Every structure is written in structure tokens, then in C-alpha cells.
Amino acid sequence: MLTFRKALLLSASALTIIYFFQSSHSKATYPGDIEHYGKHRNAEAKDTVPTGSAPQPTKVHPPPWGGSKDKKNSQQTFNSVEGKSLQEQLRYLYPYDPDGKFPAYIWQTWKATPASGDFGDELRPQEASWTDLHPDFIHEVITDQTAVHLIRYLYASMPEILEAYNALPIPVLKADFFRYLILLARGGIYSDIDTMALKSAVDWIPSDIPPSSVGLIVGIEADPDRPDWKEWYSRRIQFCQWTIQAKVGHPVLRNIVASITEDTLRMKKLGILSQKKIDKSIVEFTGPALWTDLIFNYMNNPEYFKIENGGKNITWEAFTGIETAKKVGDVVVLPITSFSPGVGQMNAKDIDDPMAFVKHDFEGSWKAPSERIKPIIG
């Protein structure tokens, strides 16, 4: 029976979703899925948005359907994928278009929005840097409460996704999971709230790399060329996930969403899904170790990459010491300076270096002290 209390709660939830999709504090003047191209774009590109296009509200977050390797999946009925693996269902729900556009979204999460007095003055310059350098992007800061409603909206046909998200026992796990979920469904840029944009994303890839050939942009977090590296990091080369740019449906995002969902529900079934009982560390469960592993798995997957007989696997050795962007398939890997300038280690240059794009302050206030980044001493 629908009581007044239940009706009130349902109405509040509906109003939250409507408010989110109708409001934005950004200065966006283009549709959300404009092409990601820089100063060196082709002046005769036919899909350029005309000057003077009407501003688009954030209620419009359409995935770029069509023209994809996965397009055949979008022609299936949902019944044809029901009962299949999570990855197959996600492939159907958000197919990947490798030739499509980078959606012009910037996603961040925090306890309050910039419109709130609780946002925190120390974070305002960092948050504003993203809007200032990306005036044509839609920039959203998502609160925890809004994130739940947004996931319910985006993954309504996959209740196990919402079940897994709600079951995660600590905030850092949910923060990790949300960035993959939002990028898989809507694409664009995710960046932690304690990051400062130093250069516009249109300048992140070299002018000789067509944006249409890129589906994922990641940076190196750690490249510890020393014998004791395992005491400090989980992987010899570790990709950061505090800043990521991706197209909708990218296979790496699909894989990591499926992996976290399956692991979460497995631990829940075993009764070990609590901060003290989970059988994986945070970095291996949802963090940069898992992220790094799945990027390398993708680069070595013959479904997506042509691997010649006798060809060597792509490993950390392909990226150690790089000082410029390196492209492997549709993945662009940026050097450590790009997302970790000024850290004073592992050959990272300072924030005034031409390859310095994002500065991370490593606040990590939602993380346990043991999970925060520590500098390598010695």
C-alpha cells in the first residue's frame, strides 16, 4: 500500500533526479558530445558546432550511438542479452564507438556542490580551474546522494550494478566505482576534486594524433625505477585514475565495471564485504592496481589488437621513462609529468613543464590514512 510517507520519499527521489538533469553551474555553450579536438583541428571539419548554438542544459546526456564496432549489439533486443555476462549486457547498454567524439563533460564528486556553503573554500580554485579552462564543457560536481540516483537512472536495466554500488562498505570504494560508471555511460573527463587543471584537455594529445583514433587517455601515476618499488607501489608502472578521459562504452571501463560488480557481489554472498573482512586491498579491488591490470589486459587482447605470431606482450617496459604521449591502439598514455607534475620523484617535471596538464594535491580526505599516497623517501 502506498502510504503518504512512501509517496513523499518517492517524490523527493524523482525531484532530485529532475533537478540534476535540469541544472548546471558550468558555462557550457555546446551540446555535451561535441568533438574533442584542439587548436590544430581541421578548420573544415563538418561536425563543428556553429557559433551561437543555444546552451544545452545538463538534462541532455545522450551517449553517441551508432557507427561503432559494437553497433550490432545496439540492434539487439534486451531479451537477447538478458542472462548473458555482465560485460555482454554492458556492451549492449553502452556500445563503444571508436570513431566517435569525446563527450565534453567534466565529472567530479564531493560531499557538497560548489553552490553550497559547505563546499570548502580551499577547493574552489581547483574546481574553478576546470570550468575556466573548459568553458564549452558541461561541468558537474556530483554529491554522494545524487550519485545513487544517477546510477539508478543510468543502469536501471542492470540492478546488480546498483546493488554492488550500495553494498560497498567504505566511501573510497564507492568513489572509485562511480568514476568508472559515469565514464562508461556518459564519457568525458573524470577528475578528483583535489585536482587543478593546468591546461585544457584539447591540448592533452599531440596534434599528429587524430582524436577520432583515441578512445581512452590515461596518465602514469608511478614509474619507480628502483629495486624496492614493491614496498611503495602495487605495479612497476601504475596508471593513475584520479584523472581519466574516455569515450562512452570503452572496453576498459566495461571490464572494470564488470570486475568490481562481480567481486562485490561475491564478497557480499560470502559475508566478507566489510572494511575489515574484504579479501583484497583497496588498490586491488577498485583502485589503480586493478585499473592498471585491465589496461594492460586490453592492450594485449587479440579481440581488439592484432598480435603477430611470436609477438611480445605489451608490459611496463613499453612506458617506463616516457616523456611524451605514447599511443597503443586507441589508448594514449601520458608521461608521469602530465598528471603528477611537481611531485619531485620518478623524473616528474614541475608544473611549468609543457607536458604538465593536471596537478593533483593528493588530499584523499575520504581515504583511510593507510590508503593515501606517500612520497618515496631515499
Side-chain angles (χ1 to χ4, degrees):
M1 179 177 178
L2 185 63
T3 64
F4 176 80
R5 180 180 177 81
K6 289 181 180 178
L8 190 62
L9 289 173
L10 288 171
S11 299
S13 298
L15 286 172
T16 301
I17 296 172
I18 292 169
Y19 174 79
F20 172 77
F21 286 104
Q22 288 184 335
S23 65
S24 173
H25 65 276
S26 72
K27 297 183 286 185
T29 56
Y30 292 80
D33 61 342
I34 66 171
E35 184 171 3
H36 171 186
Y37 49 83
K39 297 175 183 176
H40 307 286
R41 69 184 185 269
N42 184 344
E44 297 179 358
K46 298 185 184 301
D47 56 355
T48 303
V49 177
T51 303
S53 295
Q56 299 295 313
T58 59
K59 66 180 180 181
V60 181
H61 292 297
W65 300 91
S68 165
K69 282 184 182 178
D70 292 339
K71 186 175 180 180
K72 61 181 183 296
N73 295 285
S74 66
Q75 306 302 317
Q76 301 178 47
T77 64
F78 186 74
N79 288 338
S80 67
V81 295
E82 196 171 12
K84 291 191 176 181
S85 69
L86 277 175
Q87 288 200 34
E88 285 301 311
Q89 293 181 56
L90 289 168
R91 186 196 296 260
Y92 163 79
L93 186 61
Y94 294 115
Y96 174 48
D97 182 359
D99 302 317
K101 304 171 184 179
F102 273 100
Y105 299 138
I106 297 169
W107 305 100
Q108 297 186 289
T109 59
W110 193 237
K111 302 164 187 175
T113 69
S116 168
D118 297 327
F119 184 71
D121 290 341
E122 72 281 1
L123 293 174
R124 293 191 182 279
Q126 295 162 311
E127 185 273 337
S129 71
W130 288 97
T131 298
D132 292 344
L133 286 175
H134 304 85
D136 300 328
F137 282 51
I138 293 173
H139 181 187
E140 298 283 4
V141 177
I142 309 297
T143 64
D144 294 344
Q145 183 180 13
T146 302
V148 176
H149 296 301
L150 186 54
I151 293 168
R152 183 180 292 126
Y153 170 81
L154 295 172
Y155 295 92
S157 62
M158 300 185 67
E160 57 268 68
I161 301 286
L162 185 63
E163 180 186 355
Y165 181 84
N166 286 334
L168 290 170
I170 49 179
V172 64
L173 297 174
K174 290 186 174 181
D176 282 344
F177 198 18
F178 179 81
R179 71 195 65 192
Y180 309 132
L181 289 167
I182 194 65
L183 288 177
L184 176 63
R186 289 297 179 256
I189 297 166
Y190 169 86
S191 197
D192 280 357
I193 199 68
D194 57 352
T195 58
M196 175 81 73
L198 303 176
K199 287 188 178 179
S200 170
V202 300
D203 297 321
W204 287 2
I205 59 176
S207 58
D208 60 345
I209 298 178
S212 61
S213 70
V214 181
L216 180 67
I217 300 175
V218 297
I220 292 176
E221 173 184 358
D223 184 8
D225 186 14
R226 47 187 290 163
D228 63 346
W229 66 266
K230 289 185 179 179
E231 296 179 19
W232 301 93
Y233 290 95
S234 300
R235 302 295 182 267
R236 174 59 181 79
I237 282 283
Q238 189 162 289
F239 299 123
C240 80
Q241 30 89 274
W242 59 71
T243 302
I244 305 166
Q245 186 173 25
K247 292 178 181 176
V248 171
H250 194 277
V252 174
L253 294 167
R254 190 164 65 218
N255 293 346
I256 201 165
V257 166
S259 174
I260 293 171
T261 300
E262 289 165 352
D263 250 357
T264 301
L265 298 182
R266 173 186 62 81
M267 285 188 254
K268 180 181 179 182
K269 186 175 181 180
L270 292 174
I272 60 171
L273 192 61
S274 67
Q275 186 170 358
K276 294 182 179 180
K277 292 183 179 180
I278 57 175
D279 55 14
K280 289 186 174 183
S281 67
I282 292 174
V283 294
E284 300 279 351
F285 185 8
T286 62
L290 175 65
W291 178 238
T292 299
D293 287 350
L294 292 180
I295 290 172
F296 277 119
N297 288 351
Y298 175 69
M299 290 178 177
N300 291 288
N301 188 338
E303 180 182 351
Y304 301 102
F305 294 85
K306 184 177 180 181
I307 301 174
E308 303 291 345
N309 291 335
K312 292 178 64 177
N313 279 353
I314 296 170
T315 68
W316 64 268
E317 295 174 304
F319 303 104
T320 185
I322 64 171
E323 296 187 353
T324 58
K326 185 167 185 176
K327 183 173 180 286
V328 178
D330 67 343
V331 180
V332 167
V333 176
L334 300 174
I336 193 169
T337 298
S338 293
F339 292 163
S340 299
V343 295
Q345 58 189 12
M346 294 178 284
N347 297 315
K349 308 296 193 300
D350 213 338
I351 60 172
D352 59 354
D353 189 86
M355 289 302 295
F357 301 152
V358 176
K359 183 178 183 295
H360 189 213
D361 284 343
F362 300 100
E363 180 69 19
S365 61
W366 60 87
K367 300 181 182 180
S370 61
E371 295 296 337
R372 299 183 192 177
I373 298 291
K374 305 185 187 76
I376 296 179
I377 307 298

